Amino acid sequence: MGQGVTAPTASQRVSGQAVWSIAAKVATLGGTLGVSVIAARELGAAEFGTWSFARNLMVYLALIGAFGLDRALLRFVPELESRGSASGVRRLLAATLGIQALLVAVAGAILVLLEPVMIRVFMPEIGPLLPLVALLTAAWVLKETLYQLHFALARARILAVATTLTGAARLGLPWWLPVSYPHLRAHE
């Protein structure tokens, strides 16, 4: 760098990404609201209830599957990067993704195995959606972990693109679900 100019510290770079993080969260919340309105109109009241229940199951499974390791990347990646340890970042990411994959797989398998209980206790319509919930949970945990990694590495452009793609995928879900799961069609 030029004379008298110092490189920002890792914590300065991460804190400088706060605006991008807030914008991404606002976009996600806005997208969720938009998807909910569209889904309620497209699916009808009963089917929207099933979809909402499935979405909430996904959130709870993601909490179990992520195990807080995605947030831990915010603490340890900048530290490893400031030491110049790219291999340390790779090892940390590999360990994080491995543990999360195992936890999501176990939680998803338990969810699918509990299908008879879920049908009896909650609602019969949820049964066919449970494998999809498990799969979407795995995708969600991976997305959140990669999001936190890029945030920790101060890669704002990647975050903006990822948030846009995630929002587009969420907007497509209310149209895709009734086609793929015909029992979710609104009754006329």
Side-chain angles (χ1 to χ4, degrees), residues 12 14 16-17 40 84 88 108 117 137 144 167 171 173:
Q12 287 171 329
V14 170
Q17 300 298 308
V117 175
T137 299
E144 284 297 308
L171 285 174
L173 213 54

Side-chain angles (χ1 to χ4, degrees), residues 62-89:
L63 286 172
I64 294 167
F67 203 60
L69 296 174
D70 54 339
R71 304 294 186 210
L73 292 175
L74 290 173
R75 158 86 170 71
F76 296 108
V77 167
E79 185 178 312
L80 289 168
E81 189 188 38
S82 71
R83 292 183 194 161
S85 181
S87 64
V89 171

Side-chain angles (χ1 to χ4, degrees), residues 9-80:
T9 66
S11 62
Q12 287 171 329
R13 286 191 0 250
V14 170
S15 64
Q17 300 298 308
V19 172
W20 286 101
S21 180
I22 291 168
K25 292 298 177 186
V26 167
T28 299
L29 291 173
T32 300
L33 177 63
V35 166
S36 295
V37 169
I38 293 167
R41 288 183 181 164
E42 291 290 318
L43 298 176
E47 292 82 4
F48 180 70
T50 302
W51 183 71
S52 293
F53 183 67
R55 195 175 58 189
N56 287 335
L57 280 174
M58 186 188 80
V59 169
Y60 294 129
L61 280 180
L63 286 172
I64 294 167
F67 203 60
L69 296 174
D70 54 339
R71 304 294 186 210
L73 292 175
L74 290 173
R75 158 86 170 71
F76 296 108
V77 167
E79 185 178 312
L80 289 168

